Amino acid sequence: MAALWTLAFISLIAGFSCSRTSECSYYSLLDYLNLTSSNVALETMRPVKNWTRSTVVQVDLFLLGILESNEKSQTFTNEIRVHMSWTNEFLTWNPSEFCGIEKLSIMRSMLWFPDVIIVEDVSDDGSIRMSPLVTVYSNGSVNADFQQRLTFACRLNLFVFPFDLQTCYITFSSLNSDVDSITFGTISDEKFLTQVSDTVMLTRGEWELKHIDIQSTNQTIENKSYVSFRISMLRKPMLYVIDFIIPLFYFLIMDLASFFISEARGKKLSFKVTILLSISVLLLLLKDILPSTEKDMPIISSYCMVIFTMVAVSVLETMLVMFLMDFEGFSCFYKKARNCENAETDVQLEPMEATAVEDSAETLKKGEGKPKRSDLLSDCDLLKLILDEVKAVQEKSGRQDEVNGKQECYRRLAVIIDRVFFVLYLIASTLFVVLTYLMWIPQML
């Protein structure tokens, strides 16, 4: 009798198992997990059987593209993909009882979902593309993915721009849950995240991904757990070298070469002013790129400003040299203006004296008697006129020699100033260029 009862019990168990395994659809699994109808508890409550135990949310970050960097607003725009995983203790089953089903895709709205945010996010919500489905595994693990065009704040260090290596942080945390409810962690290690991101990256722009580091795990801020990913990106500087650094260096060389241009007709001055205006255009372009801050001023800003200042001082030196070369000419002009009336008076007196001498000579030629003593100039008067003429010529010659001497003195002074300034300018330019590139070379390497 006992054997019959044992046989009947075994038959009942076998029949139940056959009925469970004979149905291999997902519906039976959903019915077993109580997901065929709306379940408010599964949708809203944290899925733990003991409320004192926190839910561990694991996050992996993959970089799909570096789209844009904005130095003025201190932001980056990247395309990212986030993979999240956590355990729902109420969604577990034995795969052997359901035809070997090990995972199940269900609507995200049917389950509790962690309120994960990115702390540095400054983009709009419309840029998030989240799948409506989540994948549930037989051990209760729930996996969800979303992709986002993320614009996030990053404190950029532009001191060695454009040879800069930027380090930005993307931090995941919970909006409302504290560390007792949700604890954050990671699934993969740093090497895997970097390799996958470098492989699947579609666009890089002017940046190159160096590595992704997991900065901190299981740390708390304001009693909230968070996990932070440190992304290191190196700028590709070739475009800025061609557009800014090399042209400015050429402008400096051209300004040095302008010292060999003649000072005549102001060609040298006009050439230097043209160089100064060209540097001003580059400064305006640079102003639209770099932020307006005095802290950690980029080397390239100092580079441009020093070259602009050197060329401006060179223009002032050229103006001084031209002024010294033409300085005595201005004084001669005013002296000639003052002596203009005296010259006109002398011109009017000369015809009258000549007429008197001609009349006396004509009277003697016709023999009309001896001329009157009053009509002829005495010897003393003639000698006095001759001496006056000689004295006037000597004074005029002396004044001319004095003017020429002063002009030569100013000219020599201008030449000395020009040569000394050229030597100092050459030394200062060489030292400046060497020091600037010594600061940049370690960043280039």
Side-chain angles (χ1 to χ4, degrees):
M1 190 68 179
L4 292 175
W5 281 106
T6 303
L7 182 62
F9 180 76
I10 293 174
S11 300
L12 181 63
I13 295 298
F16 179 78
S17 300
C18 292
S19 63
R20 177 71 61 87
T21 56
S22 61
E23 183 65 35
C24 292
S25 66
Y26 287 109
Y27 184 81
S28 61
L29 179 57
L30 291 175
D31 186 45
Y32 173 77
L33 297 176
N34 197 20
L35 294 175
T36 55
S37 59
S38 177
N39 191 330
V40 178
L42 283 177
E43 295 174 2
T44 59
M45 303 302 295
R46 193 164 55 87
V48 290
K49 295 180 179 180
N50 185 354
W51 70 271
T52 61
R53 185 168 52 246
S54 65
T55 301
V56 178
V57 179
Q58 296 175 306
V59 181
D60 273 358
L61 173 68
F62 300 98
L63 204 60
L64 302 183
I66 305 174
L67 305 180
E68 183 183 0
S69 62
N70 192 326
E71 286 78 9
K72 293 188 74 67
S73 62
Q74 301 277 291
T75 58
F76 266 95
T77 300
N78 292 353
E79 189 75 17
I80 64 171
R81 186 178 184 88
V82 179
H83 176 71
M84 294 189 301
S85 177
W86 65 94
T87 299
N88 191 319
E89 298 179 3
F90 299 102
L91 301 179
T92 59
W93 70 91
N94 187 359
S96 62
E97 297 180 0
F98 296 93
C99 301
I101 298 177
E102 295 183 351
K103 62 180 180 179
L104 177 67
S105 296
I106 59 177
M107 296 297 295
R108 182 170 61 91
S109 59
M110 299 174 63
L111 300 178
W112 174 87
F113 202 88
D115 54 339
V116 178
I117 62 168
I118 299 177
V119 177
E120 296 84 4
D121 186 10
V122 294
S123 55
D124 55 352
D125 295 335
S127 60
I128 300 177
R129 297 179 296 280
M130 183 170 290
S131 174
L133 301 176
V134 295
T135 303
V136 182
Y137 290 87
S138 59
N139 60 356
S141 175
V142 182
N143 291 353
D145 296 335
F146 69 89
Q147 189 169 325
Q148 179 180 1
R149 183 174 183 176
L150 176 66
T151 300
F152 60 99
C154 178
R155 184 173 297 178
L156 303 180
N157 184 5
L158 300 173
F159 180 69
V160 291
F161 175 89
F163 306 100
D164 50 329
L165 175 66
Q166 298 300 335
T167 301
C168 300
Y169 294 88
I170 297 180
T171 305
F172 292 88
S173 183
S174 175
L175 183 62
N176 296 313
S177 302
D178 56 14
V179 67
D180 296 328
S181 300
I182 294 179
T183 302
F184 283 91
T186 58
I187 304 173
S188 306
D189 58 0
E190 301 171 347
K191 184 177 180 181
F192 178 78
L193 296 178
T194 304
Q195 289 179 348
V196 173
S197 298
D198 191 61
T199 302
V200 302
M201 190 173 295
L202 301 177
T203 178
R204 304 171 188 266
E206 63 181 28
W207 297 92
E208 177 184 355
L209 177 65
K210 300 301 292 183
H211 47 80
I212 299 177
D213 299 327
I214 302 174
Q215 179 66 15
S216 54
T217 309
N218 294 329
Q219 301 293 326
T220 59
I221 298 178
E222 297 179 354
N223 201 30
K224 292 183 180 180
S225 175
Y226 75 94
V227 59
S228 182
F229 296 89
R230 184 177 64 185
I231 303 175
S232 299
M233 297 168 288
L234 179 65
R235 191 192 300 268
K236 300 175 184 177
M238 188 55 63
L239 179 63
Y240 297 96
V241 172
I242 295 174
D243 288 347
F244 289 101
I245 298 176
I246 293 180
L248 285 170
F249 178 73
Y250 285 162
F251 285 145
L252 186 61
I253 298 298
M254 292 170 65
D255 189 56
L256 284 170
S258 66
F259 283 92
F260 300 100
I261 300 176
S262 175
E263 301 284 350
R265 299 180 181 178
K267 293 182 179 180
K268 181 178 179 179
L269 181 60
S270 60
F271 182 78
K272 286 180 174 291
V273 172
T274 303
I275 295 177
L276 193 65
L277 294 176
S278 301
I279 298 175
S280 301
V281 173
L282 290 180
L283 287 176
L284 291 176
L285 295 177
L286 194 63
K287 173 180 172 293
D288 296 333
I289 299 176
L290 299 179
S292 302
T293 176
E294 295 181 0
K295 184 179 180 181
D296 296 333
M297 181 178 292
I299 297 177
I300 192 171
S301 298
S302 303
Y303 178 76
C304 296
M305 202 62 225
V306 170
I307 291 180
F308 182 84
T309 303
M310 293 175 67
V311 175
V313 173
S314 177
V315 171
L316 295 177
E317 184 269 342
T318 303
M319 296 171 64
L320 176 62
V321 169
M322 293 180 63
F323 175 76
L324 292 176
M325 286 187 171
D326 298 334
F327 180 74
E328 190 61 29
F330 291 106
S331 60
C332 291
F333 173 78
Y334 289 114
K335 289 180 180 180
K336 289 180 180 179
R338 288 197 301 268
N339 297 332
C340 181
E341 296 181 358
N342 296 332
E344 292 179 357
T345 304
D346 294 338
V347 171
Q348 293 177 358
L349 292 176
E350 287 178 358
M352 296 176 61
E353 294 176 355
T355 302
V357 173
E358 289 177 359
D359 292 343
S360 301
E362 186 177 355
T363 303
L364 291 173
K365 185 177 180 181
K366 290 181 178 181
E368 294 180 354
K370 294 181 179 181
K372 297 180 181 179
R373 188 174 184 86
S374 59
D375 296 334
L376 297 177
L377 295 174
S378 63
D379 295 338
C380 294
D381 294 334
L382 290 174
L383 183 59
K384 186 176 181 181
L385 289 174
I386 294 172
L387 292 175
D388 291 339
E389 291 292 335
V390 172
K391 186 176 180 181
V393 171
Q394 290 178 348
E395 291 178 356
K396 185 176 181 181
S397 177
R399 287 196 301 270
Q400 186 65 33
D401 293 340
E402 183 181 357
V403 170
N404 293 336
K406 289 183 178 180
Q407 288 180 345
E408 185 65 23
C409 179
Y410 287 120
R411 190 176 292 109
R412 289 179 180 177
L413 179 60
V415 171
I416 292 173
I417 292 176
D418 194 49
R419 291 179 179 177
V420 172
F421 184 81
F422 173 74
V423 174
L424 295 177
Y425 192 78
L426 180 61
I427 295 174
S429 302
T430 305
L431 291 176
F432 169 70
V433 172
V434 170
L435 290 176
T436 302
Y437 284 95
L438 283 178
M439 297 179 68
W440 269 330
I441 284 175
Q443 305 300 326
M444 297 179 188
L445 300 178

